[in-house]
Amino acid sequence: MKKKKIITIAIDSPAAAGAGTQAKLISKHYNLFYLDTGKIYRLIAHYKIKYPKKFNYLFIKRKMKMIKMSDLQNKQLLSNNVGILASIIAKNKKIRKIVHSFQIKCAYNPPKKYNGSCLDGRDITYKIIPDADFKFFITANVKNRAKRRYLELLKLNKKIPYNEVLKSIKKRDKNDYNRKISPLKKTKDSTLINTTNLSKKACFLKIKKIIDKKLIINGNI
Ligand code: C5P
């Protein structure tokens, strides 16, 4: 029997640009398996803090083999410190290699009940799903992103001064854009979505319009 063609959506973005929110809305709308790849680097950062003595490549490999989606829901992964440590860990070539195989599996072999997959991160459009059906680069002004992250952290009862959040977003941008391995970049074939002056809904509708247009042309809907 011919294997059903799945839809793949790749999204890259700097921190707190709203990519996760959009990826979740898109995944729900098109019934796609969603993977927030940043959460994996955050999980590894969390392990480094929790198990400093056991932390090595073999330990990470073992943990990745046993990974469950529920591990990625841990609220501790959302802290500012874990985010900064994740962006330092993410520079490591060997760790990225371990993490990539899991991400590629999720992208090309999502559970059967889904119509495909949607992944967001920093290197999804050119490293994890280079042949994705849809590619987006979602960004926003840095002050705007810091304000969003500040409010998100407040909601989690983590009261960190706005200026500190802004500083850490800038630090992560510097790490992510300038690292040698898998730096954050907008590929030529990605559609730029700037969310600075867009509501969540307006942004979703903009992305949906692009996806629907191609799906209709290709006879998918
Ligand atoms: O997306 P999030 O902010 O949770 O990601 C945490 C960190 O993980 C990022 O700052 C980035 O350094 C790293 N990351 C990455 N590649 C990805 C996703 C995240 O290097 N695909």
Side-chain angles (χ1 to χ4, degrees), residues 75 150-160:
K75 289 248 180 336
Y150 168 76
L151 295 173
E152 260 171 36
L153 290 168
L154 259 192
K155 259 195 196 167
L156 292 165
N157 282 330
K158 295 188 194 308
K159 202 167 172 8
I160 299 173

Side-chain angles (χ1 to χ4, degrees), residues 90-148:
K91 290 183 192 175
N92 183 302
K93 197 175 175 179
K94 273 192 177 170
I95 295 184
R96 293 199 79 84
K97 214 172 157 199
I98 298 170
V99 165
H100 280 173
S101 45
F102 173 72
Q103 296 176 2
I104 290 168
K105 203 170 112 205
C106 289
Y108 292 99
N109 292 294
K112 285 206 171 59
K113 64 175 179 176
Y114 294 103
N115 297 326
S117 60
C118 174
L119 274 67
D120 72 337
R122 305 291 188 280
D123 57 351
I124 309 303
T125 54
Y126 67 95
K127 190 98 194 183
I128 308 298
I129 330 178
D131 61 349
D133 298 308
F134 300 94
K135 294 185 183 185
F136 297 97
F137 187 85
I138 298 183
T139 189
N141 162 305
V142 71
K143 286 192 175 155
N144 225 277
R145 291 190 278 128
K147 194 173 155 202
R148 283 183 201 156

